[in-house]
């Protein structure tokens, strides 16, 4: 093992010793109880299984057959989740054939960030993660299940399901993905049309045609954003059936992998083989997820989400841990927006199995962890296929299937990972550098301050941004308005960068997992509304963003900086943030949420 990986892992374990011990004690206490059908009162049991056919009730009560709870994020608003409509029946059939039963325990909300980008609904997005965690808890609160299958793919949904499952850490759990859509219009061509539209060179009809050609059928969006990063991380954590991440929906292989998830769960439910998810997800598994994120240039959103996931398991990680790992983890994949390939091409070139194999071979992955597959992490270094109708796994070739997409650890795209930590008098922030050209890693320019993303878009439309600038977009943190993604800012800033201007974004908000070639210091913490230094910045202040040195500074003399009164959010904007499209219902989240580096958790 690489010494830095070991050092970070040990530090996390030591830092987390007391909360992790308390968490595991709760897990073991609950896991030691009798089964639900034996422990609950007769009326409780009757209610739990009244809707099952008589033979199924007999299995659970008399034959003590395992009962699987299904928690599903199915809806047909999300292309990625529409395939889940058929999964419960496959699961029931497979469970029945194996002498078990399965029930849909509950559904969780699942919103599409692609629909809500730039809209008020996006201000509910981050908080939907904790809502999903609570909905998972409601589903499993009936306390009659021997294990759970968790059906979800996209941005906040997988972290929410995982947080919820870890609060039921005494249950064995397996995640069940649904897979990406086939490739349509390439992500790079789609982005070009977006930039043309931002400049007024093409109209709405052309833009809509391009967007519909890119997002054209069922399955996950094909760029390597938060949704597909979720799947990579779950593979690295051993919480999927091996290789299940990027197999298309509506294929025989996808159905076979879904049925295999039932077999995998039932293998870790009984007796001595029982493997609760709370025991499985330890500090080594969390570090594996962090390393997989860095090695593939994955979504910046996970510097928030996986902090929250770790906390749900009694573990404490921070951005310094990510930064130290990033200094030794090589970048092994270039998938859009870090390259031109989409996730289907990534899968064809070797996919998660290839990346994990290279990391393990380089001593950068804890290969000795326990996984939901009883074969352990070695099973995740292979790829699934159907041979004569039977599911099997084959070894990957030694060499990459396409060295422009994935590479061996001995010849990476970069010697360090795709994410960097920034710090300075503006606070702490993160930047995704894997897609940023080397000559844009350092930007020093006058600030232009905006208190909303719409203000920046309006200034761009009015031609007021034709210069070198650092766009400071503040009052976008969790307490202010739920920390929306600001992905709508990417096209205009990319246009300015394309014209040769030095351009960067600094914000206490989030960018999409699709954040790309424009340098962006995001998640600045403390946020402006909570006393963060962004509230002191004035238009005209020179800001220096140095991704190489890891600094983020307002070049203002210390005395002037100390004397400045922080700006405050105006009453109109504050009122707008609090009302309309359900935002009133999330007031408690805004009041109670902690900072981005602490996971933006609302339950602590």
């Amino acid at each position: 093992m690489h010494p830095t990986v070991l050092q970070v892992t040990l530090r996390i374990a030591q830092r987390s010793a007391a909360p992790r011990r308390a968490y595991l004690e709760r897990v073991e206490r609950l896991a030691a109880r009798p089964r639900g059908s034996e422990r609950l009162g007769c009326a409780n049991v009757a209610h739990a299984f009244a809707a099952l056919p008589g033979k199924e009730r007999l299995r659970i009560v008399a034959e003590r057959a395992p009962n699987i709870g299904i928690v599903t994020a199915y809806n047909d608003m999300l292309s990625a989740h529409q395939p889940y409509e058929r999964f419960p029946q496959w699961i029931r059939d497979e469970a029945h054939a194996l002498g078990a039963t399965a029930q849909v325990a509950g559904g969780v909300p699942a919103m599409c960030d692609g629909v809500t980008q730039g809209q008020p609904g996006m201000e509910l997005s981050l908080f939907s993660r904790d809502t999903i965690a609570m909905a998972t808890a409601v589903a499993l609160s009936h306390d009659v299940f021997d294990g759970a299958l968790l059906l979800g793919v996209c941005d906040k949904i997988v972290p929410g399901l995982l947080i919820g499952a870890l609060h039921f850490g005494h249950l064995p759990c397996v995640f069940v993905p649904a897979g990406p859509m086939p490739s349509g219009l390439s992500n790079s061509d789609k982005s070009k049309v977006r930039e043309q539209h931002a400049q007024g060179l093409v109209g709405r009809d052309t833009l809509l045609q391009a967007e519909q050609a890119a997002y054209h059928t069922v399955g996950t969006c094909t760029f390597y954003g938060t949704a597909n990063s979720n799947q990579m991380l779950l593979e690295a954590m051993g919480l999927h059936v091996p290789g299940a991440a990027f197999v298309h929906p509506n294929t025989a292989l996808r159905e076979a992998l879904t049925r295999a998830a039932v077999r995998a769960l039932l293998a870790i439910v009984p007796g001595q083989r029982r493997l609760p998810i709370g025991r499985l997800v330890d500090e080594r598994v969390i570090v594996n997820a962090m390393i997989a994120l860095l090695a593939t240039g994955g979504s910046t959103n996970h510097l928030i989400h996986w902090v929250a996931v770790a906390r749900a398991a009694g573990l404490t990680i921070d951005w310094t841990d990510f930064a130290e790992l990033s200094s030794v983890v090589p970048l092994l994949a270039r998938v859009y927006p870090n390259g031109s390939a989409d996730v289907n091409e990534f899968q064809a070139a070797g996919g998660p199995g290839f990346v994990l194999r290279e990391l393990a071979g380089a001593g950068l992955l804890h290969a000795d962890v326990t996984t939901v597959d009883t074969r352990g992490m070695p099973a995740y270094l292979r790829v699934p296929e159907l041979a004569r109708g039977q599911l099997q796994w084959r070894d990957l070739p030694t060499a990459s299937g396409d060295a422009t997409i994935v590479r061996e650890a001995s010849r990476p795209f970069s010697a360090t990972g795709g994410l960097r930590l920034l710090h300075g008098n503006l606070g702490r922030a993160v930047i995704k550098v894997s897609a940023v050209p080397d000559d844009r890693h350092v930007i020093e320019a006058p600030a232009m301050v905006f208190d909303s993303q719409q203000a920046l878009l309006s200034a761009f439309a009015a031609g007021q941004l034709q210069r070198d600038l650092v766009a400071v977009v503040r009052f976008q943190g969790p307490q202010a308005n739920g920390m929306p993604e600001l992905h709508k800012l990417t096209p205009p800033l990319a246009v300015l960068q394309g014209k040769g201007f030095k351009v960067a974004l600094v914000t206490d908000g989030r960018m999409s997992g699709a954040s790309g070639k424009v340098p962006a210091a995001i998640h600045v913490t403390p946020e402006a509304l909570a006393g963060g230094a962004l509230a002191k910045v004035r238009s005209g202040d020179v800001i220096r963003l140095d991704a190489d040195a890891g600094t983020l500074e307002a070049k203002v003399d210390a005395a002037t900086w100390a004397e400045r009164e922080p700006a405050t959010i105006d009453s109109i904007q504050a009122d707008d943030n609090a009302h309309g499209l359900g935002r009133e219902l999330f007031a408690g989240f805004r009041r109670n949420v902690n900072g981005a580096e602490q996971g933006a958790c609302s339950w602590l």
Side-chain angles (χ1 to χ4, degrees), residues 42 55 69 159 224 258 289 338 352 354 382 461 470 569 585 587:
C42 294
K55 290 183 179 179
Y224 193 54
T258 301
N338 306 325
F354 186 90
R382 309 176 78 198
V470 173
I569 192 170
L585 296 171

Side-chain angles (χ1 to χ4, degrees), residues 396-593:
L396 284 156
T398 303
S400 166
D402 187 334
T404 68
I405 302 172
V406 291
R407 288 189 183 174
E408 298 82 7
S410 59
R411 56 185 193 110
F413 293 103
S414 169
T416 59
L419 299 168
R420 304 268 172 86
L421 172 64
L422 305 175
H423 57 88
N425 65 357
L426 292 178
R428 284 162 69 90
V430 295
I431 182 171
K432 182 175 179 177
V433 294
S434 52
V436 176
D438 290 345
D439 64 351
R440 301 284 170 158
H441 283 197
V442 180
I443 300 291
E444 184 171 311
M448 292 190 69
V449 179
F450 305 93
D451 289 347
S452 70
Q453 63 176 325
Q454 187 54 51
L456 188 152
L457 294 172
S458 297
F460 175 81
Q464 297 170 358
L465 306 185
Q466 304 295 313
R467 65 185 76 175
D468 293 350
L469 78 148
V470 173
V472 175
V473 184
R474 62 192 181 190
F475 299 117
Q476 304 299 306
Q479 292 183 29
N481 63 351
M483 205 179 188
E485 289 182 348
L486 306 176
H487 188 40
K488 287 287 187 182
L489 302 182
T490 299
L493 294 176
V495 167
L496 296 173
Q497 182 170 279
K499 291 182 176 181
F501 295 118
K502 294 180 180 179
V503 180
L505 173 68
V506 176
T507 181
D508 50 5
R510 295 183 296 128
M511 290 294 284
S512 164
S515 56
K517 61 186 178 182
V518 177
I522 59 176
H523 309 172
V524 176
T525 185
E527 65 174 284
L529 191 69
L534 285 190
K536 288 189 172 186
V537 179
R538 304 290 184 264
S539 290
D541 290 344
V542 174
I543 305 293
R544 182 177 176 84
L545 186 165
D546 188 335
D548 295 328
T551 57
L552 181 63
E553 296 277 347
K555 309 291 282 187
V556 179
D557 70 84
T560 302
W561 190 250
E563 291 173 1
R564 273 192 188 168
E565 285 293 320
T568 58
I569 192 170
D570 70 64
S571 59
I572 295 174
Q573 185 178 349
D575 186 70
D576 182 63
N577 289 346
H579 296 92
L581 293 178
R583 285 178 286 183
E584 301 90 338
L585 296 171
F586 288 76
F589 287 81
R590 292 190 294 272
R591 283 194 300 270
N592 296 321
V593 68

